[in-house]
Amino acid sequence: MRGKMFAVVLGFLGAACAKNADEARPDAPPRATASADDATSVSSGERPEPAGDAARGKALVGSFECRRCHEGTGLEPEPLARNCRGCHLHVLADGFSSKPASATWKSHVAHLGPVPSLVGAGRRLRYEWLVRFLVEPHDLRPALTQSMPRLALSREQARDVATYLASLAGPSPTDARALVGADAARGRKLMDEMECGACHRMSGVEPLRAGTPLGPEAPRFYERHAEELRPAVMLAPDLRHVRERMTSTQLVEWLRDPPGIKGDTLMPRPGLTPEATRDVAAYLLTAPLAPAEPRRIPEALPNLTRRVAYEEVAREVLDVTCRHCHGSPDVAVGDGGPGNSGGFGFKRRAINFTSYEHAQGGYVDDAGERHSLFEPLADGTPRIVAALWARHREVAGSPDPSVRGMPLGLPPLAPEKIQLVATWIAQGRPR
């Protein structure tokens, strides 16, 4: 019985920390009965994507180094020096005994340990959605700090990658009658009874119940199992995206047996009857959703009037945010990081923020010519400042095709931090 309870509440401990929790809003009552049509009607206007080439996709998964972060690529993992997730887990397991300040180091990477795996991706995700997401990634998991980075993938390449991932998982099930007879209202009631809100948000509907099924024993249970619970919450997606990501058949199959489709999932088997499974699927796929709260790009702050020196910029921004990917081998073990030596499909840019002198060295363009990171673009914005603001635009869903947002795949810097960098540049970059 205790094991079943643990499965139900897996991930509850960190749920209160999910960002943007205020986005969920009450909605109209769910429709009583779901349609027998495939639940992808939300995307019915979407043109079918032509199939890609699986062999090319496999090569692209290797060249874009997906295995630096993800399990389930069908390729051997990268060696530790180039395995981002593996290195973070190594830190958390005290694998680097030479580092005396391991507690501080561990606190810096703890949020980077959980990463979604690609196991069974082709069986549990719509092909069209996967192609679109690879080209236009967006935040899916409210409690996960990092998100899929915007890579230099063309749509044709995204089709190849999606086709390859689908080939690893076997054919996706199809059943036009998957939701026949389902009742969405009953599905919502079941989700509250199972307290799915312990791990998941579903923005756009009234918040899912997130109670404590263990009653008085809950505090002791969470204390004993905190490390197992935290990753489950961090990896739990916002359920408003289900109707875009999955067909009705895929969702029903997933709710019946998550570990049978994705062996490394932290999602437990709900243990529902076939009828109840259809009811839950119907709610997830047909409940009216309030419009998503738009992500707003903050206003740029005016330059500071006080003096800003390199030491402050390094301490507040470069050392904290940039140096791990734009470093040197003695800082980012191995090759100096993908922002220096190249990686994730990007060419070598030789950007190094380990010292004042290195920062002045700029970057290398496609022709091998060096340029300053501080040179103004057409609108007068220094290149490095433009990259920091471009990350805000990516998160808001309006990426700038000419500028890659930084930090790659991480939350944008606060306007106050960008203001610090802009002020330092405007003052002539004093040491």
Side-chain angles (χ1 to χ4, degrees):
M1 184 66 176
R2 174 65 59 85
K4 183 176 181 180
M5 287 182 173
F6 174 72
V8 172
V9 299
L10 189 65
F12 179 73
L13 187 64
C17 299
K19 63 178 180 285
N20 301 326
D22 60 342
E23 290 180 3
R25 294 179 289 179
D27 65 330
R31 290 178 288 177
T33 306
S35 166
D37 295 334
D38 194 298
T40 57
S41 58
V42 69
S43 303
S44 58
E46 182 181 46
R47 294 193 312 178
E49 291 281 356
D53 183 286
R56 285 201 306 261
K58 181 177 182 179
L60 287 167
V61 166
S63 62
F64 278 87
E65 299 181 318
C66 305
R67 52 187 170 164
R68 289 182 78 154
C69 298
H70 295 288
E71 300 286 336
T73 64
L75 304 176
E76 289 296 317
E78 292 277 5
L80 186 62
R82 294 179 61 81
N83 190 321
C84 300
R85 177 174 178 269
C87 186
H88 295 150
L89 295 177
H90 204 56
V91 171
L92 296 174
D94 293 316
F96 293 100
S97 57
S98 60
K99 292 287 183 180
S102 59
T104 301
W105 205 21
K106 287 166 73 172
S107 69
H108 289 167
V109 304
H111 64 288
L112 298 171
V115 177
S117 89
L118 301 178
V119 172
R123 188 176 170 192
R124 56 189 169 84
L125 297 173
R126 292 179 59 238
Y127 171 75
E128 284 79 9
W129 178 86
L130 187 53
V131 172
R132 187 172 70 251
F133 183 75
L134 288 169
V135 177
E136 303 170 0
H138 57 87
D139 191 6
L140 287 171
R141 294 171 169 82
L144 196 63
T145 301
Q146 65 271 29
S147 59
M148 175 71 182
R150 186 168 72 94
L151 302 177
L153 268 169
S154 69
R155 202 166 196 91
E156 181 181 8
Q157 289 174 321
R159 293 177 190 130
D160 292 340
V161 170
T163 301
Y164 167 66
L165 293 176
S167 74
L168 299 177
S172 181
T174 302
D175 181 0
R177 298 176 57 82
L179 298 185
V180 170
D183 189 307
R186 284 200 306 260
R188 170 63 196 235
K189 183 179 178 182
L190 283 165
M191 291 182 71
D192 284 334
E193 289 176 356
M194 293 188 297
E195 298 179 329
C196 299
C199 292
H200 290 283
R201 280 182 57 216
M202 187 173 179
S203 58
V205 303
E206 187 169 348
L208 300 170
R209 184 181 175 193
T212 333
L214 292 177
E217 293 189 12
R220 290 194 299 274
F221 178 87
Y222 295 141
E223 183 178 349
R224 289 195 300 270
H225 297 287
E227 286 306 307
E228 298 101 312
L229 296 169
R230 184 177 60 84
V233 171
M234 294 176 74
L235 291 173
D238 183 339
L239 297 177
R240 81 171 290 131
H241 301 298
V242 165
R243 60 192 63 187
E244 299 171 357
R245 300 176 76 205
M246 308 175 84
T247 67
S248 54
T249 313
Q250 286 174 330
L251 180 57
V252 168
E253 292 296 313
W254 172 256
L255 291 173
R256 285 174 182 165
D257 185 15
I261 294 173
K262 184 175 184 288
D264 58 358
T265 185
L266 296 176
M267 171 80 175
R269 291 182 178 89
L272 298 170
T273 65
E275 294 77 13
T277 299
R278 289 196 296 272
D279 292 342
V280 171
Y283 180 77
L284 291 171
L285 296 168
T286 66
L289 297 175
E293 192 72 25
R295 296 289 190 99
R296 303 190 183 279
I297 301 173
E299 294 289 332
L301 300 175
N303 288 341
L304 298 166
T305 56
R306 65 176 178 81
R307 183 177 186 273
V308 175
Y310 172 78
E311 186 275 333
E312 183 179 4
V313 174
R315 182 183 69 247
E316 296 296 325
V317 178
L318 302 181
D319 289 354
V320 176
T321 304
C322 312
R323 196 168 71 158
H324 189 67
C325 289
H326 300 282
S328 59
D330 59 331
V331 174
V333 177
D335 59 5
N340 185 338
S341 305
F344 300 115
F346 297 111
K347 295 181 179 180
R348 175 179 180 268
R349 296 304 180 197
I351 300 174
N352 188 337
F353 288 123
T354 56
S355 71
Y356 179 87
E357 290 75 17
H358 282 118
Q360 309 310 306
Y363 72 99
V364 173
D365 67 12
D366 288 341
E369 299 290 330
R370 253 190 201 279
H371 301 269
S372 172
L373 291 166
F374 313 109
E375 63 184 1
L377 301 184
D379 65 354
T381 306
R383 179 173 293 276
I384 187 174
V385 175
L388 297 176
W389 281 115
R391 183 61 185 142
H392 278 280
R393 288 193 289 274
E394 289 175 354
V395 169
S398 304
D400 183 342
S402 66
V403 182
R404 191 74 47 185
M406 293 292 159
L408 193 70
L410 291 173
L413 263 65
E416 292 78 8
K417 301 294 185 183
I418 303 177
Q419 176 191 42
L420 197 66
V421 176
T423 300
W424 175 64
I425 296 170
Q427 293 179 358
R429 308 193 301 276
R431 185 183 290 272

